């Protein structure tokens, strides 16, 4: 799949996969754990308490892929929703206007002289979440946040001086 999606030779895709698995060395133990939870018809629960029970065929690789995707993606979505509420509650009255939630970003606008609003928004979006791994070890996870500011969607360049610039 990696080879087809990335349009690279199979040998190179295998090497990329092996590098990924060695870099993130807990994934090879986590994937069988997810498969077992699905096979036993137990719900998968993300760190914020959202549950899903997958009723697909437990032996079907597609069902396992759904489980693999559910845990990280639902966790990120829930954290973003919490951040959205925190930002709305605190900063809408200050002059920051939320325009849309775009995949994993909060599109917004604020007065040019209120960079403090942007910095506070980044603080509000950084939400520590306790995560318990498959061995029962709990640690605090905090997903990094970043911001880009500009007057249009394009990246800043010589041809687009008002484009997005990371801060």
């Amino acid at each position: 799949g990696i080879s087809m999606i990335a349009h690279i030779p199979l040998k190179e895709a295998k090497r990329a996969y092996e590098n990924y698995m060695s870099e993130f060395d807990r994934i090879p133990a986590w994937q069988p754990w997810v498969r077992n939870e699905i096979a036993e018809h137990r719900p998968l629960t993300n760190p914020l308490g959202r549950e899903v029970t997958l009723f697909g065929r437990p032996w079907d690789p597609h069902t396992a892929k759904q489980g693999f995707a559910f845990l990280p993606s639902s966790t990120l979505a829930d954290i973003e929703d919490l951040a959205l509420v925190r930002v709305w509650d605190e900063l809408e009255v200050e002059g920051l206007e939320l325009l849309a939630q775009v995949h994993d970003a909060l599109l917004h606008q604020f007065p040019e002289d209120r960079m403090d609003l942007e910095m506070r928004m980044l603080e509000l979006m950084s939400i520590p979440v306790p995560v318990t791994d498959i061995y029962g070890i709990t640690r605090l996870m905090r997903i990094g946040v970043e911001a880009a500011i500009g007057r249009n969607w394009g990246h800043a360049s010589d041809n687009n001086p008002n484009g997005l610039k990371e801060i």
Side-chain angles (χ1 to χ4, degrees):
I2 295 169
S3 175
M4 290 185 326
I5 292 168
H7 304 289
I8 59 176
L10 184 58
K11 187 175 181 180
E12 196 174 320
K14 284 181 180 179
R15 187 172 47 248
Y17 176 81
E18 289 166 2
N19 289 342
Y20 181 85
M21 288 302 193
S22 69
E23 182 69 26
F24 300 99
D25 58 348
R26 293 183 182 208
I27 291 176
W30 176 74
Q31 288 180 339
W33 178 87
V34 171
R35 283 189 189 97
N36 185 62
E37 294 298 295
I38 293 168
E40 297 295 324
H41 298 289
R42 288 192 286 260
L44 299 174
T45 306
N46 79 12
L48 294 159
R50 189 194 312 196
E51 288 186 353
V52 67
T53 300
L54 300 173
F55 294 107
R57 296 181 181 104
W59 59 87
D60 187 337
H62 180 72
T63 306
K65 287 179 183 179
Q66 288 176 325
F68 300 156
F70 167 76
L71 290 166
S73 62
S74 68
T75 301
L76 181 59
D78 290 349
I79 291 170
E80 186 179 16
D81 289 344
L82 287 171
L84 177 65
V85 170
R86 291 173 69 176
V87 169
W88 176 274
D89 285 346
E90 182 174 321
L91 297 181
E92 275 282 320
V93 295
E94 295 284 329
L96 183 136
E97 296 178 55
L98 290 167
L99 303 175
Q101 185 175 1
V102 184
H103 183 58
D104 63 353
L106 299 179
L107 178 64
H108 58 284
Q109 60 188 21
F110 60 94
E112 285 188 56
D113 63 343
R114 294 296 312 273
M115 190 63 176
D116 61 303
L117 293 174
E118 185 68 15
M119 301 315 289
R120 179 65 182 139
M121 181 175 181
L122 291 174
E123 290 171 14
L124 291 169
M125 291 179 69
S126 181
I127 300 172
V129 176
V131 175
T132 303
D133 67 19
I134 64 174
Y135 306 110
I137 299 169
T138 301
R139 66 189 193 289
L140 204 56
M141 173 188 73
R142 186 184 308 261
I143 297 173
V145 295
E146 57 190 36
I149 296 175
R151 295 184 176 269
N152 62 60
W153 283 96
H155 292 285
S157 67
D158 291 341
N159 295 334
N160 185 16
N162 294 321
L164 293 173
K165 297 175 189 167
E166 289 192 25
I167 60 166

